[in-house]
Amino acid sequence: GESLKTWRYGADASADPGALAGRLVADVEWLKRSAPGAALGCVQDAGPELRALPEALTRAFPGEQVTRLVDFHHLLEYLAEVVRTCEPAGDPHHMLDWYRSELSYRNDAIDRIFRNLRRRATRLQREQAAARTAMAKALRYIRKRRPLMRYAAASERGLPIGSGATEST
């Protein structure tokens, strides 16, 4: 779970994502030879062009579990907007903290959160436009990516759940 070294990769926006993924996979292959038992994970935001890396990792390591995740903090941004628009001012029930804790420690948390948000969405009134918009965006984001939001299992394997180190570069 602790970073030992950072390698930076870059490419123009118009570059082939597969070529960049190939460069990354070559380095991961080298790392795996150095530490054969190391867990293998891929944390990204949800851009469709980013599928190239996890697909390349899965091809390069056919019998190995490649844990794929959507960045934890991206999900929390959607949930924070739901809290801001749907909860009483100041979040007196600490819903954002509850979301964060549940997602960190329970693999089924995203399923329960999704069901709860769907149920709450049906009770929002038409004049609650900001809340309805935030809820719809969060539900759409989760619906498309729910299998990639099993953060507790990744943490148990010593894998990071956020892409902050990548994004900060």
Side-chain angles (χ1 to χ4, degrees), residues 38-50:
L40 191 53
C42 182
V43 182
Q44 299 177 305
D45 69 17
E49 72 281 1
L50 296 176

Side-chain angles (χ1 to χ4, degrees), residues 112-141:
R112 292 181 310 114
I113 290 168
F114 183 74
R115 284 191 304 269
N116 181 43
L117 293 178
R118 263 195 0 219
R119 190 171 33 256
R120 289 183 66 190
T122 63
R123 294 192 303 253
L124 290 173
Q125 303 300 314
R126 178 165 283 172
E127 59 273 5
Q128 294 174 286
R132 291 169 61 90
T133 298
M135 190 70 75
K137 285 180 179 180
L139 286 168
R140 190 169 37 254
Y141 187 80

Side-chain angles (χ1 to χ4, degrees), residues 101-115:
S101 177
E102 288 293 296
L103 289 163
S104 296
Y105 298 107
R106 298 180 56 118
N107 275 320
D108 66 341
I110 193 62
D111 302 316
R112 292 181 310 114
I113 290 168
F114 183 74
R115 284 191 304 269

Side-chain angles (χ1 to χ4, degrees), residues 69-80 83 95-115 117 138 141-142 145-156 159-162:
L69 295 174
V70 169
D71 180 81
F72 183 73
H73 303 288
H74 286 219
L75 171 60
L76 285 181
E77 289 173 6
Y78 283 90
L79 294 174
V83 167
M95 287 304 297
L96 190 56
D97 291 334
W98 183 82
Y99 289 140
R100 184 180 291 113
S101 177
E102 288 293 296
L103 289 163
S104 296
Y105 298 107
R106 298 180 56 118
N107 275 320
D108 66 341
I110 193 62
D111 302 316
R112 292 181 310 114
I113 290 168
F114 183 74
R115 284 191 304 269
L117 293 178
Y141 187 80
I142 294 169
R145 299 161 183 89
R146 194 169 8 166
L148 307 177
M149 297 176 176
R150 310 292 175 190
Y151 303 106
S155 293
E156 288 170 8
L159 294 169
I161 60 172

